[in-house]
Amino acid sequence: MNTQITWYGHATLGINTFGYKLIIDPYFTGNPSSPIKADQVQADYLLITHGHGDHVGDSIAIAQRTNAEVISNAEIVNWISKQGVKKTHGQHLGGGFKYPFGYLKLTLALHGSALPDGSNGGNPAGFLLTTNDQKKIYLAGDTGLFGDMKLIGEEGIDLAVIPIGDNYTMGPEDALRAVKLIQPKHVIPIHFNTWDLISQDGPAWASRVEEETESQVHILKPGESYKL
Ligand code: NI
Ligand code: MN
């Protein structure tokens, strides 16, 4: 049990791996599902999938308070640096880098990425994290279904974290097809039940996935963790 994932509601996740604390898409202020406030967050690294406000969230304030390093695509990292954040690392789609917490590769995502002030946030991304004990975690980010999820699945995914909310991202039907392409051992659905517009029946989706695939679904409540 070297890696633990916590869902803070919406698309905000904490990953604690071998003592390194990562926050993915640190949206706490204004996130109606978050059980904690931005100023309570501890982090060594902040990973941002794309430029939308519900993903960039409190990144700047948390980075300045905790001195966490911000990791995202080059456009978002440049924008974050201009807001006064000192420690950043820009990557881009298809590129990986070995950090102390593991090897992190940026994957494709089908979505937008404009930053909160309208600046160009480049292309949206997902993350493929290989932990220091060789576990593979695919964080799809905000995305529609795309066939190359099969290529990502070919790496052998232990855990996939995918959106199911519909409207802005894949809905339950396409998310089920995504699981069939990725074939992960475990799945955690996110980006749903934050607002009425993306309200979904998590347990019903979990039953369908487990009937039609070999994957095991874990429905977390905001604040709950899953140990990998
Ligand atoms: Ni988005
Ligand atoms: Mn979003």
Side-chain angles (χ1 to χ4, degrees):
M1 301 298 181
N2 298 310
T3 301
Q4 175 170 306
I5 315 255
T6 305
W7 188 39
Y8 294 109
H10 199 53
T12 304
L13 298 156
I15 298 182
N16 196 323
T17 181
F18 289 90
Y20 295 103
K21 292 191 276 294
L22 285 57
I23 301 284
I24 322 301
D25 289 342
Y27 170 53
F28 296 95
T29 305
N31 177 350
S33 323
S34 177
I36 60 169
K37 294 203 181 329
D39 60 11
Q40 299 174 278
V41 175
Q42 295 304 316
D44 301 309
Y45 297 90
L46 304 178
L47 280 58
I48 305 171
T49 58
H50 66 287
H52 292 163
D54 57 321
H55 298 261
V56 172
D58 301 292
S59 296
I60 294 161
I62 295 172
Q64 285 173 336
R65 178 176 54 78
T66 63
N67 202 31
E69 183 170 337
V70 177
I71 301 169
S72 190
N73 73 26
E75 290 86 352
I76 291 172
V77 152
N78 288 342
W79 184 83
I80 291 271
S81 306
K82 281 188 200 144
Q83 323 293 316
V85 173
K86 296 275 184 292
K87 282 165 63 183
T88 61
H89 187 124
Q91 295 182 221
H92 235 300
L93 300 181
F97 183 78
K98 178 81 183 79
Y99 295 92
F101 62 81
Y103 183 77
L104 186 74
K105 189 157 77 174
L106 263 63
T107 60
L108 305 190
L110 284 183
H111 196 67
S113 188
L115 284 152
D117 64 0
S119 299
N120 174 17
N123 284 307
F127 294 111
L128 180 55
L129 170 64
T130 307
T131 62
N132 288 333
D133 56 355
Q134 305 305 310
K135 293 267 168 44
K136 297 226 183 214
I137 303 173
Y138 171 44
L139 307 159
D142 280 15
T143 187
L145 179 68
F146 58 94
D148 285 356
M149 284 178 173
K150 186 170 188 298
L151 291 179
I152 295 166
E154 281 171 8
E155 295 213 24
I157 304 300
D158 294 287
L159 170 66
V161 182
I162 64 173
I164 68 161
D166 221 348
N167 195 74
Y168 301 113
T169 67
M170 296 190 285
E173 294 295 327
D174 280 355
L176 170 62
R177 295 168 72 195
V179 173
K180 291 176 180 176
L181 292 172
I182 303 161
Q183 298 184 21
K185 290 197 184 95
H186 302 273
V187 185
I188 295 174
I190 62 167
H191 215 280
F192 73 108
N193 289 356
T194 322
W195 306 288
D196 287 347
L197 188 58
I198 55 173
S199 156
Q200 299 296 342
D201 185 338
W205 185 77
S207 303
R208 279 195 66 195
V209 171
E210 292 186 348
E211 270 165 33
E212 295 186 33
T213 75
E214 301 295 310
S215 303
Q216 252 193 304
V217 183
H218 307 278
I219 307 280
L220 302 179
K221 291 192 184 73
E224 270 184 357
S225 299
Y226 170 72
K227 287 194 173 89
L228 187 63

